[in-house]
Amino acid sequence: MSAETKNIYLPKLHRIQDIIPETSDIKTFRLNLEGTPFVYYPGQFAELFVPGVGEAPISITSSPTQKGILEFSIKKTGLVTAAIHRLNQGDRLGVRGPYGNTFLVSNLKHQNLLFIGGGIGLAPLRSLINYVLDDEKRSDFQQVIILYGARSPEDLIFKWEFKKWENLEKVSLLVTVDRGNPQWTGQVGLVPNVLKESVNVNPPEWTCIICGPPIMIKFTIKALLDMGFQSHNIITTLEMRMKCGLGKCGRCNIGPHYVCKDGPVFTYEQLQNMPEEY
Ligand SMILES: Cc1cc2nc3c(=O)[nH]c(=O)nc-3n(C[C@H](O)[C@H](O)[C@H](O)COP(=O)(O)OP(=O)(O)OC[C@H]3O[C@@H](n4cnc5c(N)ncnc54)[C@H](O)[C@@H]3O)c2cc1C
Ligand code: FES
């Protein structure tokens, strides 16, 4: 065994094939795996590494059905994410992982799926959305509704993918913003309100997967419960502070759970049995 395979903290460098500007402070980085195996499932994350700066945990936004590439959508918030934003096409970015649990696609088979994303929270959901909508997997799942909200039209990510999703059979995409602008002709309203007003489903027949800012998750879960969703049919993914990503440093624990290993994906039923630290 080489020294490289023994060191679990050692990232692998991958070439940036493309950079897609999403908003003023979010970019999607498409890395070329160049034949290096990287086996992952929707819901997992990786630690991204910039030499001399540090590491940050970032959700994998590509779907494993997209072969040979790995995508991350990254918001510039501090040191590491700003350093990643300074990289150019052709530069190399360090990746270690994948880490964390997954959305357990086998448990979602034959179900109707309601995705609810807020802001950059659509990034981890997109991995599962594109997995479910992949030609080879599509018949394993039923109807799909994607409800996506952001503060303003300028804050929406993956706009370039909306047409593809909208044009698919048995897929509905609802996009809303908190505040419109003169060009915006779409829906204006907070996600939980749009959910209650515009999503007409029979809750026992649906599973909902949510990711977004904590305040959005809180009020969206309340709306889902009011609509009749059961807590085991509501799935969310947490973005706690993390360091190692491997269950070793204790940075991300909630009670006895390490979010980096036992999560980041939890059902609302599981969260209800945890201390209120998330
Ligand atoms: C499992 C997981 C998945 C994530 N997925 C994504 C993703 O897909 N895209 C993305 O842009 N970001 C994601 N994040 C958040 C990302 O890891 C942080 O924004 C990043 O670590 C900040 O690092 P930095 O060095 O740039 O900022 P720092 O210089 O460390 O900090 C900048 C500011 O951000 C705050 N901050 C740092 N980490 C977090 C955090 N986890 N949550 C909230 N605030 C934080 C700091 O307190 C500080 O105010 C994810 C986090 C986790 C744990
Ligand atoms: S990040 Fe180190 S234990 Fe979870």
Side-chain angles (χ1 to χ4, degrees):
M1 196 181 274
S2 72
E4 193 177 330
T5 48
K6 273 190 224 151
N7 187 345
I8 52 173
Y9 294 104
L10 203 65
K12 279 215 159 68
L13 292 174
H14 296 289
R15 195 171 54 83
I16 299 171
Q17 181 180 308
D18 217 346
I19 301 173
I20 303 158
E22 302 281 0
T23 70
S24 60
D25 58 2
I26 300 174
K27 292 179 184 176
T28 296
F29 293 78
R30 182 172 298 141
L31 308 187
N32 190 325
L33 288 172
E34 291 162 311
T36 316
F38 191 94
V39 179
Y40 68 99
Y41 291 94
Q44 292 194 287
F45 67 96
E47 289 282 347
L48 301 190
F49 168 74
V50 180
V53 185
E55 289 188 313
I58 302 288
S59 307
I60 304 170
T61 189
S62 48
S63 158
T65 50
Q66 298 169 264
K67 299 291 176 217
I69 59 143
L70 206 48
E71 289 172 336
F72 299 94
S73 294
I74 301 170
K75 182 171 183 150
K76 188 164 71 170
T77 48
L79 282 179
V80 177
T81 49
I84 297 173
H85 270 237
R86 285 195 294 273
L87 296 174
N88 296 306
Q89 208 176 349
D91 288 345
R92 287 181 187 267
L93 179 60
V95 180
R96 65 179 174 90
Y99 297 127
N101 67 352
T102 76
F103 285 118
L104 272 183
V105 281
S106 53
N107 286 357
L108 300 175
K109 276 191 179 172
H110 314 299
Q111 297 196 30
N112 296 303
L113 301 174
L114 167 59
F115 292 94
I116 306 183
I120 195 169
L122 189 59
L125 300 186
R126 176 175 172 258
S127 178
L128 182 59
I129 292 171
N130 280 334
Y131 181 94
V132 166
L133 300 183
D134 180 74
D135 284 349
E136 284 183 21
K137 309 281 179 200
R138 188 66 191 97
S139 59
D140 289 343
F141 304 92
Q142 301 290 321
Q143 287 193 66
V144 169
I145 300 177
I146 303 163
L147 168 57
Y148 176 45
R151 276 173 306 171
S152 72
E154 295 78 24
D155 293 307
L156 294 166
I157 61 171
F158 308 132
K159 292 188 276 280
W160 47 278
E161 213 162 28
F162 289 176
K163 269 275 163 297
K164 183 187 93 184
W165 292 343
E166 271 173 332
N167 289 339
L168 292 169
E169 267 180 48
K170 299 207 303 189
V171 178
S172 309
L173 173 67
L174 283 159
V175 179
T176 182
V177 294
D178 301 351
R179 291 181 315 276
N181 64 23
Q183 291 76 42
W184 178 252
T185 53
Q187 185 128 19
V188 177
L190 298 175
V191 166
N193 299 340
V194 176
L195 169 67
K196 280 186 161 178
E197 286 158 16
S198 307
V199 176
N200 294 309
V201 295
N202 182 23
E205 294 170 6
W206 287 74
T207 296
C208 179
I209 304 117
I210 318 174
C211 187
I215 189 82
M216 184 215 97
I217 294 183
K218 182 176 167 188
F219 286 103
T220 301
I221 289 180
K222 187 177 177 313
L224 288 166
L225 296 173
D226 290 347
M227 287 165 74
F229 275 83
Q230 302 279 307
S231 53
H232 63 268
N233 279 339
I234 302 173
I235 299 168
T236 188
T237 168
L238 298 182
E239 293 197 352
M240 298 291 290
R241 300 292 171 80
M242 289 183 190
K243 197 166 167 64
C244 68
L246 287 161
K248 300 212 180 287
C249 72
R251 179 84 181 263
C252 68
N253 73 302
I254 303 180
H257 302 279
Y258 289 122
V259 177
C260 67
K261 270 188 91 173
D262 304 327
V265 176
F266 295 97
T267 64
Y268 182 55
E269 189 176 42
Q270 290 171 317
L271 292 182
Q272 282 174 309
N273 294 320
M274 288 188 192
E276 277 215 23
E277 294 167 32
Y278 59 89

